[in-house]
Amino acid sequence: EVMGILDGRADLERELRRVLGLRAVRVVSGDLDENPEVKGDLGFTAARFLREVLRRGDVVAVTGGTTVAAVAARMPPVHPGNILVVPARGGVGERMEYQANTIAADLAERLRAEYLLFHVPDRLSEEAYRSLAGEPQIAEKLQLIRQASIVVHGIGQAIAMARRRRLPPEEIAVLEERGAVGEAFGYYFDRDGRIVYQQHTLGLGLGDLSGMRAVIAVAGGRGKAGAIAAVAKAVAPHMLVTDEGAAREILARY
Ligand code: BG6
């Protein structure tokens, strides 16, 4: 904390907490968009918080993405025992190392925990969604996932994320029209944190977050400022870990 005070980050944290109406915020120095090494610091800071809140018997859910992958990579060894790590949702057809399944397995190894894999496409037609949710094996896993007491999630820029998920151009046009700026858990949010678009996906839904002991959001880079603010308003995480680049930009805009 001394470092935070010396370079003014404690002030940034306080302001950001106030503007976004959050309980706790950590701001690491630098801007991920200018320095890729900042991702490691975001990961380390979120991992340290996770270590603080983790208790025996917890089910920990993780989303995909490069930032949450950095959390797993920087997790200090701690083994409270009887931990289960689960992916928050199915894959998004991303590179293997950034899929929630891979990150869950990686984090579990560091926590000497069990993990669960959930191999279901992230984007489903309504029909496929219904029939898959009815499959006993899938329903059983879903139930475990939805029991998560802690979740660590990334935040995406809406349009960039929609492209990464290969949404068809007409759907992307809908997102643009509705002013989508941020994405998390497959939901897309506008500037005020209102849901403007939602995918049919199996996994954690926004409603599942309300009962959790710790919702930990981690994202940085000036370019993600709007996305972070939108998701923070919608999700109201217990802890937001971000960087100076995003923090200053959010404060300039809100
Ligand atoms: C995805 C998550 O895998 O990663 C999204 O499912 C999140 O919810 C995104 O928005 C963020 O990715 P990154 O690589 O920018 O941390």
Side-chain angles (χ1 to χ4, degrees):
E1 281 315 316
V2 172
M3 285 302 290
I5 290 160
L6 285 181
D7 60 18
R9 271 185 287 136
D11 292 343
L12 268 182
E13 287 170 353
R14 193 175 331 107
E15 269 306 281
L16 205 55
R17 213 164 56 218
R18 189 182 62 76
V19 166
L20 299 177
L22 297 179
R23 280 161 277 200
V25 172
R26 290 277 174 281
V27 176
V28 307
S29 62
D31 181 347
L32 179 58
D33 292 350
E34 277 158 28
N35 176 8
E37 282 174 23
V38 170
K39 200 164 278 178
D41 299 337
L42 289 167
F44 179 68
T45 304
R48 234 177 16 188
F49 183 72
L50 175 57
R51 182 182 59 183
E52 271 172 45
V53 294
L54 197 63
R55 290 188 207 148
R56 187 178 172 79
D58 269 329
V59 175
V60 181
V62 293
T63 69
T66 58
T67 319
V68 178
V71 180
R74 302 296 298 270
M75 189 69 208
V78 45
H79 347 94
N82 197 22
I83 302 288
L84 174 68
V85 188
V86 302
R89 303 141 52 79
V92 280
E94 293 203 72
R95 288 174 61 98
M96 194 195 49
E97 54 270 46
Y98 307 136
Q99 287 181 15
N101 277 309
T102 314
I103 298 171
D106 188 19
L107 182 63
E109 193 182 313
R110 282 166 197 267
L111 299 175
R112 291 196 203 146
E114 298 292 321
Y115 61 88
L116 174 148
L117 300 180
F118 194 53
H119 287 113
V120 177
D122 204 43
R123 213 155 61 81
L124 297 166
S125 67
E126 181 128 26
E127 203 190 345
Y129 174 86
R130 287 237 180 80
S131 79
L132 278 174
E135 283 293 322
Q137 265 203 359
I138 290 179
E140 198 182 305
K141 285 189 174 186
L142 250 179
Q143 217 195 340
L144 274 171
I145 290 172
R146 302 183 67 186
Q147 273 170 25
S149 40
I150 298 179
V151 64
V152 183
H153 75 89
I155 295 172
Q157 286 172 270
I159 304 303
M161 213 49 222
R163 295 216 172 94
R164 206 156 120 186
R165 289 191 168 127
R166 304 216 163 74
L167 253 67
E170 55 278 16
E171 304 279 293
I172 293 182
V174 170
L175 285 176
E176 277 167 345
E177 212 174 280
R178 297 183 184 169
V181 291
E183 178 279 342
F185 300 100
Y187 296 82
Y188 293 81
F189 306 96
D190 70 9
R191 181 191 152 93
D192 301 314
R194 279 186 299 251
I195 300 172
V196 293
Y197 188 95
Q198 190 182 338
Q199 277 180 208
H200 289 292
T201 35
L202 292 167
L204 281 186
L206 272 193
D208 297 315
L209 306 184
S210 55
M212 290 192 190
R213 204 171 70 245
V215 176
I216 307 169
V218 53
R222 188 164 181 254
K224 272 195 186 179
I228 293 167
V231 171
K233 287 183 184 191
V235 171
H238 298 87
M239 166 61 87
L240 167 68
V241 177
T242 189
D243 65 11
E244 251 184 285
R248 291 194 194 286
E249 183 68 17
I250 292 169
L251 293 179
R253 283 207 244 156
Y254 284 85

